[in-house]
Amino acid sequence: MSTLKVNLPQKSYPIWIQKGILNHIGQEIKKIYKNRKIAIITDFNVEKLYGERIKEQLSTDFEIKMIVVEPGEKSKSIDVLQNVYNELLEFEITRGDLIIAFGGGVVGDLTGFAAATLLRGISFIQVPTSLLAQIDSSVGGKVAVNLPKGKNLVGNFYHPKAVFIDPDVLKTLDKRFFSDGMAEVIKYGCIRDQKLFDDLLSYTEEELFEHIEEIIYTCCHIKKSIVERDELDTGERMLLNFGHTLGHAVEKHYKYEKYTHGEAVAIGMYHITKKGEALGITDRTTAERLKEILCKYHLPYEMPTMDQEEIIKIIGLDKKNKGQYMNIILIKKIGESFIQKIHRKDIVAYI
Ligand code: GLY
């Protein structure tokens, strides 16, 4: 078992990473939670595969309520949130009770937001089941739901009481969604860890799974270190957005239907790296290596044909890019990233 601790001024919490931890998660939760009631929020896919297992683990010692939402981004809505609030209130949950987010990024963000706001805050635990959630969204406290005007527009920072990561559940993850998570794993290599990048490039599929616990640990370690230094995303944490500015534009242009988040980020990372090379900022051959690793993990790299004006408009609408200046994340070489503040009018050189 590998453990990490996220140390923040107001709160510290552990991240437990272990193959098979789901088979003894009841014991682990008993150590850190002493009340009776637990609401588990999940989606139908995860419930079908692992619902019985988590219930078995928890129902001897706790009073359980399972709230199951539809899988997919549509569940990060105010309507679904309201249903979740209703179900939690019907369960007569109190501020001393516990909520578990058992699923991927959508379930994690929705549950975290419900936990942060209902009764002015109820403790919650993250049990992420997708690779993306295990290495990114379950750590760092970002919780949110979407509005018709855009993604994650209502949200906050609300950290879990603990994160339990079982890499074994990735065995049942759809191949496309495994690759989706791999895009963010590759991102950590690009921004902070050349060894991780080189290892990913050299692993066979079998070796990747042999090392998956260590890979998740490495990513969570990078993320928690960055979050500890910049919890509220005003500086260093922005490095985690490498590839995301263009990625968001691609996702939005295709109405979040054609590309997964990771696929769009893969395109964004490659494109900005190529631009970085052309501008003499990024070492030559970096984009080529990035292309090689993206292809290896079945990720796209080529920017689809999109009108430049439209890209600029979408980037301008992004809530993170208000004002005259905006921040672009670039890499000098694999493992070394930095934030470049640019004037809005200069964005065209980077797209
Ligand atoms: N997913 C990026 C962050 O948590 O800041």
Side-chain angles (χ1 to χ4, degrees):
M1 161 135 54
S2 324
T3 57
L4 284 162
K5 195 160 183 201
V6 184
N7 293 303
L8 298 166
Q10 311 295 334
K11 182 169 188 167
S12 293
Y13 57 96
I15 305 170
W16 303 93
I17 308 164
Q18 189 185 34
K19 286 184 179 173
I21 201 166
L22 203 54
N23 300 327
H24 54 93
I25 200 162
Q27 277 164 259
E28 304 303 329
I29 289 177
K30 244 173 90 174
K31 289 181 200 157
I32 57 170
Y33 172 64
K34 304 293 173 200
N35 272 9
R36 281 270 318 145
K37 282 189 183 180
I38 301 182
I40 304 163
I41 304 182
T42 189
D43 70 29
F44 284 110
N45 291 341
V46 176
E47 200 258 347
K48 206 163 122 197
L49 290 163
Y50 302 108
E52 276 314 309
R53 201 177 315 170
I54 198 159
K55 268 198 242 165
E56 251 171 47
Q57 278 294 313
L58 297 171
S59 51
T60 322
D61 296 293
F62 304 102
E63 186 187 343
I64 302 295
K65 157 114 178 160
M66 198 92 154
I67 300 173
V68 190
V69 301
E70 290 292 335
E73 193 68 29
K74 286 200 171 76
S75 284
K76 259 177 77 172
S77 69
I78 296 281
D79 283 352
V80 174
L81 177 70
Q82 190 153 342
N83 289 339
V84 167
Y85 286 148
N86 282 337
E87 294 213 40
L88 290 169
L89 291 172
E90 274 163 25
F91 183 46
E92 296 182 353
I93 199 153
T94 69
R95 294 182 69 186
D97 297 326
L98 181 73
I99 303 176
I100 296 180
F102 186 42
V106 166
V107 164
D109 283 9
L110 170 77
T111 304
F113 190 78
T117 47
L118 190 69
L119 309 178
R120 296 205 178 89
I122 299 169
S123 292
F124 86 115
I125 284 178
Q126 289 268 18
V127 185
T129 57
S130 70
L131 180 58
L132 192 84
Q134 294 191 343
I135 54 119
D136 183 16
S137 57
S138 66
V139 175
K142 282 190 181 172
V143 298
V145 293
N146 303 330
L147 288 180
K149 279 195 186 309
K151 278 177 82 168
N152 299 325
L153 288 181
V154 195
N156 212 333
F157 294 92
Y158 189 71
H159 294 272
K161 195 177 169 66
V163 184
F164 292 98
I165 300 175
D166 186 343
D168 271 350
V169 302
L170 301 177
K171 287 180 189 152
T172 51
L173 191 65
D174 178 273
K175 272 194 166 33
R176 187 170 177 205
F177 287 95
F178 188 80
S179 289
D180 179 52
M182 281 309 297
E184 298 274 2
V185 175
I186 292 165
K187 178 197 77 180
Y188 284 110
C190 290
I191 64 166
R192 262 298 139 79
D193 194 330
Q194 193 194 327
K195 183 181 177 302
L196 172 66
F197 188 97
D198 291 343
D199 287 347
L200 295 174
L201 209 46
S202 73
Y203 287 151
T204 60
E205 200 174 321
E206 213 180 21
E207 284 168 338
L208 181 80
F209 279 97
E210 273 166 29
H211 289 91
I212 196 75
E213 192 172 313
E214 178 191 318
I215 292 168
I216 294 169
Y217 178 90
T218 303
C219 296
C220 288
H221 189 273
I222 296 172
K223 179 143 188 192
K224 79 117 202 167
S225 308
I226 291 178
V227 168
E228 282 172 352
R229 287 188 292 266
D230 177 26
E231 183 189 352
L232 301 182
D233 202 9
T234 55
E236 189 183 346
R237 188 163 178 172
M238 285 188 253
L239 294 176
L240 298 171
N241 289 334
F242 175 55
H244 283 58
T245 301
L246 282 165
H248 282 154
V250 171
E251 272 186 290
K252 193 156 185 192
H253 174 77
Y254 289 99
K255 300 185 173 52
Y256 303 97
E257 279 164 8
K258 181 165 178 181
Y259 296 102
T260 65
H261 176 70
E263 287 166 352
V265 166
I267 293 169
M269 290 192 292
Y270 177 69
H271 197 73
I272 197 72
T273 304
K274 252 181 43 179
K275 288 286 163 185
E277 281 190 26
L279 292 164
I281 298 168
T282 305
D283 288 359
R284 288 199 179 281
T285 74
T286 310
E288 214 34 51
R289 294 186 70 212
L290 191 48
K291 179 171 155 183
E292 190 186 342
I293 203 167
L294 295 175
C295 290
K296 176 171 177 169
Y297 290 100
H298 315 290
L299 287 158
Y301 61 91
E302 249 166 329
M303 189 78 184
T305 316
M306 277 173 68
D307 179 51
Q308 208 176 48
E309 284 304 312
E310 193 201 343
I311 302 178
I312 294 172
K313 199 169 150 208
I314 298 177
I315 292 172
L317 285 174
D318 191 318
K319 66 181 187 305
K320 291 196 196 81
N321 296 329
K322 296 292 171 223
Q324 261 192 319
Y325 292 90
M326 55 183 293
N327 296 304
I328 296 271
I329 313 307
L330 290 157
I331 53 173
K332 167 96 188 60
K333 57 182 184 188
I334 298 297
E336 202 180 311
S337 56
F338 64 98
I339 304 167
Q340 175 113 322
K341 189 172 171 181
I342 61 162
H343 197 282
R344 187 168 289 278
K345 70 174 169 36
D346 297 329
I347 182 69
V348 73
Y350 298 87
I351 58 177

